[in-house]
Amino acid sequence: MAIAVLGGAGYIGSHTVYELIDRGFDVVVIDNLQTGHREAVHEKAIFYEGDIRDAKFLDEVFHKEKIEAVIHFAANSLVGESMTNPLKYYDNNVYGTKVLLESMVKNGINKIVFSSTAAVYGEPERIPILETDRTVPTNTYGETKLAMEKMFRWVDLAHGVKYVSLRYFNACGAHISGKIGEAHNPETHLIPLVLQVPLHKRECIKIFGEDYDTKDGTCVRDYIHVTDLADAHILAVKYLMDGNESNVFNLGNGVGFTVKEVIASAEKVTGEEISAQTDVRRAGDPAQLVASSEKAKSVLGWKPKFDDLDKIVETAWNWHKNARY
Ligand code: UDP
């Protein structure tokens, strides 16, 4: 029996595939390569190129391969783009998940772990954020992820498909081997953009808003290493295999860093001065997002290994200096 990883050529998906293979799982990767990279797919994984909105394609793969559980990363995930092109997000994220669930039910697959996000909370009612806190997304991306979570809940009740929803905070860093890492085109995430300055790919980093109610006026985020996220997916698959009920977990380090602190860390790691410019706030950005991950620690036994921002930025820097794709 194999684990199907949808979006396994993408950033978090490819890192999860590496960890699964390291631990002896058979892995089937499905990816439409719209934002993923063929080179990021582990050589020991079986690869199918196709779109999750294509029901016939999914049915064929699920019929041919013996799939025990699905890990679902195949979605669009850019806050800014989701505000200018919301229907793209409803189509790929919500409609894509509907097609996927239909195919899972049809093919008797009843376990799924999927990528949710801190963006489901919107402007948080308190810091750190608990899973039971209010969910009022401030952007379309978060809204579509919340719609996906709700779809899973009703499909579990009707068809017994058990799910674990993992609400990631800010995924970052790269595999310690340097073989895979973060590569978005266009890049919109803070750490890769900051590192483009010492790589001479951009002149300066723009800071989106310096007038937030935070310690230095810039947004606070909880940066969590991609390999720690990958570990949590494997623990969640095991949790479902052990027959546990559907559940929702936050995944973060529980410590917030401002945009300026991230820039300072990148200066320390690279040994270069990084010039920054103040820009306007980005639509849909809450001032602070910091997780309480106590539930994932106590229920799943999750222990993030990268708890130091400089170490996380160092893995990202090692990747970006010699990126293969
Ligand atoms: N950010 C920024 N300049 C950039 C990109 C991002 O100031 O060029 C800020 C952004 O407003 C947010 C934080 O950095 O407060 C992290 O943004 P990112 O897009 O990496 O992740 P998100 O929080 O949107 O998931």
Side-chain angles (χ1 to χ4, degrees):
M1 296 286 270
I3 308 295
V5 181
L6 281 49
Y11 175 41
I12 308 172
S14 60
H15 286 77
T16 302
V17 171
Y18 267 61
E19 296 307 310
L20 282 165
I21 286 174
D22 259 8
R23 283 162 224 198
F25 287 92
D26 292 327
V27 179
V28 171
V29 169
I30 296 173
D31 201 298
N32 64 8
L33 298 184
Q34 250 171 37
T35 53
H37 305 271
R38 183 66 185 89
E39 305 92 309
V41 179
H42 196 291
E43 59 193 18
K44 288 191 180 149
I46 298 172
F47 177 63
Y48 290 92
E49 183 175 345
D51 195 296
I52 62 160
R53 288 162 292 189
D54 181 347
K56 189 165 165 278
F57 160 74
L58 265 190
D59 280 346
E60 276 168 15
V61 177
F62 287 165
H63 185 70
K64 187 165 171 224
E65 303 288 345
K66 289 204 171 1
I67 305 297
E68 180 154 21
V70 170
I71 308 184
H72 176 29
F73 297 98
N76 293 112
S77 61
L78 303 179
V79 169
E81 184 191 50
S82 82
M83 298 299 278
T84 53
N85 195 355
L87 294 177
K88 176 176 175 181
Y89 281 69
Y90 275 90
D91 183 44
N92 196 20
N93 298 3
V94 181
Y95 173 69
T97 300
K98 177 242 176 202
V99 176
L100 164 65
L101 282 167
E102 270 170 350
S103 186
M104 287 176 63
V105 170
K106 194 165 157 190
N107 290 282
I109 304 168
N110 64 1
K111 295 175 199 72
I112 180 162
V113 173
F114 93 103
S115 316
S116 186
T117 168
V120 298
Y121 295 109
E123 203 58 66
E125 53 187 321
R126 60 174 155 184
I127 296 290
I129 304 170
L130 290 173
E131 288 83 351
T132 45
D133 286 355
R134 160 188 84 190
T135 48
V136 188
T138 52
N139 54 61
T140 316
Y141 165 60
E143 189 69 50
T144 58
K145 288 283 174 168
L146 190 58
M148 288 161 69
E149 288 196 3
K150 290 181 178 173
M151 200 186 319
F152 283 112
R153 183 166 155 255
W154 297 113
V155 172
D156 177 8
L157 283 174
H159 302 290
V161 175
K162 298 295 167 202
Y163 67 92
V164 169
S165 165
L166 299 175
R167 293 178 177 165
Y168 318 148
F169 282 61
N170 286 61
C172 54
H175 198 265
I176 45 161
S177 67
K179 281 189 184 169
I180 52 172
E182 188 167 11
H184 299 110
N185 190 14
E187 189 52 77
T188 65
H189 292 109
L190 181 63
I191 292 177
L193 286 176
V194 168
L195 294 176
Q196 283 180 3
V197 180
L199 287 170
H200 307 293
K201 291 183 179 167
R202 83 175 40 238
E203 278 188 8
C204 71
I205 182 76
K206 288 185 175 161
I207 299 176
F208 296 150
E210 288 199 27
D211 56 351
Y212 285 98
D213 185 16
T214 59
K215 63 177 167 182
D216 61 19
T218 66
C219 283
V220 171
R221 293 290 180 273
D222 181 336
Y223 293 90
I224 179 76
H225 195 272
V226 63
T227 300
D228 284 327
L229 290 180
D231 280 346
H233 288 78
I234 297 172
L235 292 168
V237 165
K238 288 183 177 158
Y239 166 91
L240 290 177
M241 283 177 177
D242 288 342
N244 290 299
E245 280 306 309
S246 297
N247 220 329
V248 177
F249 300 97
N250 284 341
L251 298 177
N253 263 319
V255 184
F257 292 96
T258 66
V259 173
K260 286 186 176 171
E261 285 171 333
V262 170
I263 297 170
S265 168
E267 287 185 324
K268 200 164 138 194
V269 168
T270 63
E272 305 257 355
E273 199 176 311
I274 296 174
S275 62
Q277 241 178 35
T278 311
D279 204 337
V280 293
R281 290 183 177 196
R282 188 172 64 177
D285 264 348
Q288 292 198 55
L289 290 172
V290 180
S292 161
S293 302
E294 292 315 310
K295 187 176 167 192
K297 288 177 185 162
S298 66
V299 178
L300 298 177
W302 183 56
K303 286 193 203 89
K305 293 178 196 81
F306 291 85
D307 56 0
D308 180 271
L309 182 65
D310 294 345
K311 277 195 205 141
I312 293 176
V313 171
E314 201 177 312
T315 64
W317 179 234
N318 285 340
W319 157 252
H320 287 289
K321 275 190 298 190
N322 303 299
R324 290 197 300 147
Y325 50 85

